[in-house]
Amino acid sequence: MAKIITATGRRKSAVAQVRMTTGTGKIIVNGKDVREFMPYETYVMDLMQPLEITNNEKTFDIDVKVKGSGASGQTGAIRLAITKALLIYDKENEDNEDSYRKILKRAGFITRDPRSKERKKPGLKAARRAPQFSKR
């Protein structure tokens, strides 16, 4: 039986849960193929980066459940979840120079992007947008 690795990633208000098993490189997002689910090819390329940089494009089958935010936030959440799953997979190899941790850390994939939408303030139309000024 194949080992199942689970990980969670977050970005903006999106949350992605990843189940990674050894396989042929299929990525399923919310029951659809990743290229069918994502509106642009750049998003697909973005979430594939951790797999490409560690040479694992055809090594794992990945099943993703993602909700919240938009396409960009969901892509970032999936990328972080895949990165975390790869780190769990490569746990015993952590001290070596060619470990996934060192490769992914150098590329900047391990850090969660903290940027999210700023809250609306009272008396304003949006977070910082003030009502239009009228002289008379």
Side-chain angles (χ1 to χ4, degrees), residues 39-110:
Y40 303 111
E41 188 63 28
T42 51
Y43 290 148
V44 177
M45 288 168 37
D46 193 30
L47 69 85
M48 292 284 284
Q49 282 178 326
L51 296 169
E52 289 168 2
I53 206 165
T54 56
N55 297 320
N56 285 313
E57 301 101 318
K58 305 282 183 211
T59 313
F60 299 107
D61 283 344
I62 298 173
D63 186 34
V64 182
K65 287 182 185 159
V66 65
K67 63 180 182 229
S69 196
S72 175
Q74 288 182 349
T75 302
I78 293 169
R79 185 172 80 171
L80 183 61
I82 290 171
T83 301
K84 285 181 175 181
L86 286 169
L87 292 177
I88 293 167
Y89 173 77
D90 197 46
K91 190 85 168 156
E92 64 276 350
N93 198 18
E94 218 169 60
D95 298 329
N96 294 359
E97 192 58 42
D98 61 341
S99 71
Y100 290 170
R101 180 163 198 86
K102 289 197 170 110
I103 294 167
L104 293 165
K105 182 82 170 171
R106 215 173 297 128
F109 294 146
I110 294 177

Side-chain angles (χ1 to χ4, degrees), residues 1-4 19 21-22:
M1 189 175 148
K3 186 179 173 189
I4 298 172
R19 291 182 69 212
T21 57
T22 52

